Each structure stands twice: as C-alpha cells, then as structure tokens.
Amino acid sequence: QLRPQVSSHTLCTHHALDVSLFERLVYGGAPHVTLTTQRRMHPEIASLIRPAVYRHLVDDPTTEARPPVSGLRERVFFLTHTVPEDGQKEAFGAQGDQ
C-alpha cells in the first residue's frame, strides 16, 4: 500500500500522518503475509522494482505470456522531455484548453 501524501511537514513528523494504514497495522503486531510471487507484471517490468522494493519477489510463469501493450514497441522505455513536472497546468494547459 502506498503511503498517504501529506503536505504539512509538521503533521508528518509530529503525528506520523505519512504512515499507511497497513504499516500501522503491521507495526502494531497485526498478522500479515508478504508477497512472494507476483502475477500481474511482465518480468521485464517487475525487474525494475525488484532490486529496490521486492528483492525476493518471484515472477509466476504465466507472466511471461503477457501480451505487449498495443501501440508500443517496448514493454519498458524511458522518455526524455523538457516539460516541467511541477504541476498539471504547466504540462497540460489550463482546464478547458482544447
């Protein structure tokens, strides 16, 4: 589960509002199970997150058969751009612009 996005540093540090509900349950001793086999992503995509997040994650054999995304030559690619990513207005124009 992704952590919540909290815009106030004070709330994050003094009240731990940047901790997900799942993390709170685990830290509190709730029983939990860690994912060991993933069945959604093609292995080429899963390999991007495995080293940083899920070191022991194994790809189910069925993931090899996932079809490529229609219209894309590669499953994984990096896009270089010059548009700032600090807000939708800058990237996509104001609401109503067509």
Side-chain angles (χ1 to χ4, degrees):
Q1 179 183 355
L2 296 176
R3 290 181 164 194
Q5 297 294 316
V6 182
S7 59
S8 169
H9 180 69
T10 303
L11 291 175
C12 287
T13 56
H14 296 294
H15 302 289
L17 293 183
D18 61 338
V19 178
S20 73
L21 177 59
F22 181 72
E23 286 176 295
R24 291 176 191 273
L25 291 169
V26 171
Y27 294 150
H32 64 282
V33 177
T34 303
L35 179 70
T36 57
T37 303
Q38 73 87 15
R39 293 177 175 84
R40 290 184 173 196
M41 295 175 278
H42 187 275
E44 191 175 353
I45 298 169
S47 69
L48 292 173
I49 62 164
R50 187 175 290 114
V53 183
Y54 298 111
R55 288 183 197 99
H56 305 291
L57 188 66
V58 176
D59 299 316
D60 187 81
T62 60
T63 60
E64 283 287 344
R66 294 251 180 251
V69 177
S70 179
L72 297 179
R73 284 184 278 181
E74 305 290 334
R75 292 182 194 280
V76 176
F77 64 92
F78 294 92
L79 177 69
T80 302
H81 62 88
T82 59
V83 178
E85 293 186 27
D86 59 355
Q88 286 188 348
K89 270 190 174 180
E90 291 84 4
F92 301 107
Q95 287 284 15
D97 287 353
Q98 304 291 315

